[in-house]
Amino acid sequence: MTQKTRGAIAAGHDKTAEAGREMFRLGGNAFDAAVAAILASFVTEPGLTSAAGGGFLLAHTQTNHNILFDFFSQTPRQKRPEDEINFYPVDVNFGGAIQEFHIGLGSMAVPGNMAGVFHVHQRLGSLPFHVIAEPAIHYAKHGVKLNRFQYYCLTSVLTPILMANQNGQNVFILTGKPIEPNGTIIMSAFADTLAYLAKKGVREFYQGDIAHQLVNDCQEFGGYLTLEDLKHYRVIERQPLTVNYRGNTLFTNPPPSSGGTLIAWALKLLSTVDLANLGFGSARHLEILAQVMQLTNAARQTRLNNYLYQEHIGEQFLADDSIAQYQQDLAETVNKWGSTTHISVIDEVGNAASVTTSNGEGSGYVIPGTGIMVNNMLGEEDLNPQGFHQWQKNVRISSMMSPSIVLQPNQAEVVLGSGGSNRIRTAILQVISNILDFNMTVEQAVNSPRTHGENGRFHVEPGLTEAEVLHPLLTNQQVVRWREKNLFFGGVHTVMKTSDNLLVGAGDNRRDGAVAKL
């Protein structure tokens, strides 16, 4: 590879990445590639994301502007009696852990992904939208092969949701019975829908026949959404949250989303420790990670969850006097799972896009005739810390999604993010640390074993041999050893520019991630 590489993209499926590379071939920029890849992911990764989901795109432009595009889901403008709501639990089995989610029409929040792709394209794209949408339309019409991870999602993890009703069963035409990992998935209804939207514009999704069908079903069968919810939805442009870490500047997702703030918090804790001299995967390294995760969880509960919609909460939470006691707690130590997908893009002129989108696990409801399953953001416990149906009306839902970019000094050096529900922040934290603290290559940083600490348990992937000695060290946490790498630990698809200006990337092998370059 040479400096003449036009761009690099890392994503959760090789066809997602290929859609982005096609935009580079046509002369497009990183944002064209990102939007094409998002649209493609609705077909290639349908168990993780959807046109009726939500997400965030963090942009760094060649003119050194940094913008966080928030097109995540919004809570409805009105409530209705809970006994009228179609809302019920399902268990999602990650293989080593079971997580409960809630689905049904009452789990659906206002979708933002379609508004997001149109908005980002209008602001930063260079190619016509119909050109950018063409790969996704082609995939949906003619089919794409299921890779191992998507096969696992559709036939094992998400089966109780995808098969919740007849419309859900009709979203996909899966060739081959029984379904095989290399079978083909066709979404002909979605191909027609996307072609229609590319021609008519995003207004048709939020105010046209699609919107009316969605709202009519909600009102008749137990959902919250109204025409006013859809009509008034807007993409929000935010100033990214900024934190310095070992001479590098990290830009990430600000409040009211919490994931980026918690990553920044954890990095401030880690900055007091010379990790490089401890050695990656050593017992001391793992003990420190466990303690940082535990302290971050504690701070989240007491100092962040109830204050996410307060002005300047990010700065207050990360202030030196706020974090000092936690740093002292860490110093004393030193001295002694989620349905989401991520795309990272960088181009030759310095544009970078880090974008994470999700459909939750899907609500089980499909807008008739569109091939689009709507999100279940009101049914995810981690997104509803005050309890189900207790959400504040008409606000942007707080998310763990944390698209991030590391700059050094003013050029995008590392572009990354992850899927994985409440494991997103710990997965991103570890990849950043692997690159900046342990000087790993991007491939090593992404695919090295990970940990995750929460609720008194410290989960450890295989390959960290010294984890055995953690049992006596972590007296207040149970060490859970996994037999193999798992999507539970996220999917940190990453691209970066090396010190000699080469564009490189790595797809997370936990989720069959892929890289494409041109």
Side-chain angles (χ1 to χ4, degrees):
M1 183 167 46
T2 70
Q3 290 177 298
K4 294 181 180 180
T5 302
R6 295 183 189 175
I9 177 170
H13 191 285
D14 60 346
K15 290 297 184 182
T16 306
E18 179 60 35
R21 179 166 59 183
E22 179 66 7
M23 298 307 108
F24 289 136
R25 190 186 70 79
L26 295 172
N29 61 26
F31 309 112
D32 295 315
V35 171
I38 295 168
L39 293 171
S41 70
F42 299 157
V43 182
T44 61
E45 304 171 64
L48 303 179
T49 188
S50 161
F56 304 88
L57 186 148
L58 177 59
H60 174 76
T61 71
Q62 63 187 97
T63 54
N64 201 31
H65 287 91
N66 300 288
I67 311 166
L68 189 285
F69 295 93
D70 178 348
F71 46 94
F72 198 55
S73 304
Q74 186 95 350
T75 59
R77 290 172 167 249
Q78 63 185 41
K79 295 188 178 184
R80 55 192 294 188
E82 289 182 27
D83 60 4
E84 296 180 5
I85 297 300
N86 176 241
F87 187 87
Y88 55 96
V90 293
D91 288 334
V92 171
N93 191 339
F94 290 94
I98 294 176
Q99 189 169 355
E100 184 181 80
F101 299 97
H102 286 72
I103 65 171
L105 279 79
S107 71
M108 303 187 309
V110 186
N113 275 342
M114 285 311 300
V117 294
F118 274 89
H119 185 96
V120 171
H121 169 259
Q122 184 177 35
R123 287 279 278 110
L124 298 174
S126 63
L127 297 173
F129 190 86
H130 72 88
V131 172
I132 292 173
E134 185 55 38
I137 295 170
H138 179 83
Y139 295 160
K141 184 180 296 185
H142 298 285
V144 293
K145 285 188 176 182
L146 286 173
N147 64 19
R148 177 187 58 85
F149 176 63
Q150 292 304 318
Y151 170 78
Y152 172 67
C153 288
L154 296 178
T155 61
S156 298
V157 178
L158 300 178
T159 297
I161 298 172
L162 296 175
M163 298 298 131
N165 60 55
Q166 189 63 45
N167 279 332
Q169 297 171 36
N170 291 341
V171 172
F172 316 118
I173 299 173
L174 297 163
T175 64
K177 293 182 180 180
I179 300 168
E180 298 294 340
N182 288 325
T184 300
I185 181 169
I186 298 172
M187 299 173 64
S188 54
F190 180 65
D192 294 340
T193 302
L194 183 54
Y196 176 76
L197 293 173
K199 181 179 180 180
K200 295 291 188 178
V202 70
R203 184 179 184 278
E204 291 298 307
F205 185 86
Y206 288 90
Q207 298 182 49
D209 290 344
I210 295 173
H212 282 80
Q213 179 69 69
L214 169 59
V215 167
N216 288 343
D217 286 346
C218 280
Q219 296 308 303
E220 184 173 357
F221 300 116
Y224 289 107
L225 299 182
T226 67
L227 286 174
E228 288 296 298
D229 291 323
L230 298 173
K231 179 181 178 180
H232 292 285
Y233 182 86
R234 296 291 184 271
V235 176
I236 301 172
E237 296 187 12
R238 303 187 190 276
Q239 183 67 35
L241 186 68
T242 306
V243 65
N244 293 314
Y245 184 67
R246 308 206 195 278
N248 301 270
T249 302
L250 171 73
F251 290 97
T252 190
N253 199 2
S257 287
S258 57
T261 307
L262 295 172
I263 292 170
W265 169 275
L267 286 172
K268 290 195 74 169
L269 288 178
L270 280 180
S271 67
T272 62
V273 182
D274 185 2
L275 289 179
N277 286 331
L278 297 180
F280 175 81
S282 67
R284 297 295 283 162
H285 175 219
L286 299 180
E287 183 185 7
I288 288 167
L289 283 179
Q291 181 71 354
V292 165
M293 292 174 191
Q294 186 177 46
L295 292 171
T296 304
N297 291 333
R300 178 190 181 192
Q301 294 296 325
T302 60
R303 300 193 177 196
L304 188 63
N305 276 350
N306 293 331
Y307 310 102
L308 282 169
Y309 295 98
Q310 288 187 5
E311 193 174 2
H312 306 304
I313 182 58
E315 293 89 340
Q316 294 170 16
F317 183 70
L318 295 170
D320 289 343
D321 57 350
S322 173
I323 204 170
Q325 181 57 54
Y326 296 87
Q327 289 176 323
Q328 179 61 37
D329 291 344
L330 179 63
E332 292 174 1
T333 293
V334 173
N335 294 332
K336 64 169 193 145
W337 205 273
S339 293
T340 311
T341 192
H342 184 79
I343 299 161
S344 295
V345 193
I346 191 168
D347 67 25
E348 61 180 338
V349 297
N351 295 309
S354 177
V355 51
T356 313
T357 67
S358 176
N359 202 36
E361 293 66 44
S363 61
Y365 167 83
V366 176
I367 307 172
T370 66
I372 297 174
M373 181 176 286
V374 183
N375 69 82
N376 70 321
M377 301 305 184
L378 301 181
E380 286 207 9
E381 184 177 5
D382 201 55
L383 300 184
N384 296 270
Q386 306 306 321
F388 296 125
H389 311 294
Q390 303 305 308
W391 36 265
Q392 182 179 338
K393 291 183 282 190
N394 196 32
V395 296
R396 199 56 50 97
I397 296 173
S398 178
S399 171
M400 273 295 156
M401 295 198 283
S402 309
S404 302
I405 297 175
V406 177
L407 302 185
Q408 177 60 282
N410 288 316
Q411 293 187 356
E413 178 186 22
V414 186
V415 183
L416 76 169
S418 181
S421 188
N422 55 349
R423 280 86 59 192
I424 288 174
R425 56 191 169 88
T426 56
I428 295 172
L429 170 73
Q430 289 169 86
V431 174
I432 291 173
S433 179
N434 288 348
I435 292 172
L436 300 184
D437 290 319
F438 298 107
N439 200 31
M440 290 186 182
T441 66
V442 65
E443 182 70 36
Q444 292 171 328
V446 168
N447 290 312
S448 289
R450 290 194 198 124
T451 64
H452 175 73
E454 190 171 20
N455 296 329
R457 292 182 175 142
F458 188 61
H459 297 264
V460 181
E461 282 191 311
L464 296 168
T465 56
E466 293 197 33
E468 290 289 355
V469 302
L470 287 176
H471 291 280
L473 295 173
L474 303 180
T475 55
N476 59 343
Q477 295 189 65
Q478 174 190 356
V479 177
V480 180
R481 293 183 59 83
W482 289 62
R483 295 182 179 180
E484 58 185 22
K485 289 183 179 180
N486 190 277
L487 76 155
F488 178 86
F489 293 89
V492 191
H493 312 309
T494 306
V495 293
M496 63 181 292
K497 180 179 285 188
T498 66
S499 58
D500 49 359
N501 291 320
L502 298 180
L503 301 182
V504 296
D508 198 317
N509 58 25
R510 296 165 184 81
R511 299 188 175 213
D512 283 355
V515 175
K517 294 173 283 187
L518 183 68

